[in-house]
Amino acid sequence: MTEQLHQRDAYMRTFRATVAKVHDGAVVLDRTAFYPTGGGQPHDTGVLVFQPEGAPAPRSALVTSVRKEGDDVWHVLDGPMPNEGDAVEGEIDWNRRHALMRTHTALHVLCGVIFKEWGVPVTGGNMEPLAARMDFELHPTPEGFGARVEELVNAEVQADRPIEISFLGKSEAASDPALIRTKTSLVPQGLSEIRIVD
């Protein structure tokens, strides 16, 4: 089971961990700050540095992909492979992470103003660093929709509201229809709490 450090601290750039599993060019760490692909958000990239027992110098491998399987977070590596039990230091590609954070926040603003103004949930989307798409079902699209969305989003950005992260129990979060604003729930099974971005 991988402890997902990024869930509590999205600004963490480096961390120490131990390799728990090694398989086919990828490793599971006991803890990680690398965000795995999920919920429409792409994975982090970065580097792992380690020094296998008996090696004369540290080695490094690029983290090119991160995915979650069950309770494990797999880090796909390009470069030398550590061994199970090796201590590693991970470093997030901060420029990519920060661009994804900014994009993610912008999507929350967009989703919020459309939900508040028209009451429609998100039906799909895609996010990359500093570029994204979010889909809504509007039949028909209201007159002047684009200009009104732009006005509302700009007003929220100019309000410079603090961004707060909190956690709610899954049943409590599910009981508030304004909280999960997607047409189909993307909340993975087995979670006991939901991370809320306000």
Side-chain angles (χ1 to χ4, degrees):
M1 175 184 223
T2 305
E3 179 186 0
Q4 296 183 71
L5 304 170
H6 53 272
Q7 293 286 2
R8 302 283 176 185
D9 184 359
Y11 290 88
M12 181 179 288
R13 297 182 191 202
T14 62
F15 66 97
R16 294 177 187 272
T18 302
V19 177
K21 298 177 185 177
V22 178
H23 179 70
D24 199 23
V27 298
V28 171
L29 305 177
D30 65 339
R31 56 200 312 258
T32 189
F34 285 94
Y35 183 88
T37 297
Q41 183 171 326
H43 59 80
D44 283 320
T45 60
V47 67
L48 288 184
V49 178
F50 55 95
Q51 187 163 356
E53 191 174 323
R59 297 177 180 170
S60 64
L62 296 177
V63 177
T64 61
S65 180
V66 185
R67 69 183 185 279
K68 190 167 186 294
E69 291 181 8
D71 291 331
D72 294 334
V73 176
W74 287 91
H75 306 71
V76 177
L77 303 182
D78 180 8
M81 293 295 295
N83 298 309
E84 190 172 315
D86 282 352
V88 298
E89 182 167 327
E91 182 175 354
I92 304 299
D93 176 342
W94 179 249
N95 290 334
R96 177 181 167 86
R97 160 72 69 84
H98 193 245
L100 286 167
M101 289 170 66
R102 291 171 58 202
T103 306
H104 193 170
T105 299
L107 289 175
H108 274 277
V109 173
L110 178 64
C111 174
V113 300
I114 290 178
F115 190 83
K116 184 176 179 182
E117 188 81 359
W118 291 280
V120 294
V122 175
T123 59
N126 183 58
M127 183 172 69
E128 297 298 329
L130 302 182
R133 184 195 90 243
M134 190 168 268
D135 305 328
F136 301 89
E137 287 182 358
L138 293 159
H139 300 291
T141 301
E143 185 72 31
F145 176 76
R148 181 67 176 144
V149 168
E150 184 176 356
E151 175 189 349
L152 293 169
V153 167
N154 284 338
E156 289 300 325
V157 171
Q158 290 168 1
D160 195 24
R161 301 181 196 284
I163 297 169
E164 298 173 351
I165 306 299
S166 60
F167 293 84
L168 284 178
K170 184 177 179 178
S171 59
E172 183 182 357
S175 69
D176 185 348
L179 211 50
I180 299 175
R181 298 175 178 169
T182 54
K183 184 174 180 178
T184 304
S185 177
L186 300 175
V187 177
Q189 296 297 319
L191 286 183
S192 58
E193 62 181 7
I194 308 293
R195 184 173 184 261
I196 305 297
V197 179
D198 186 2

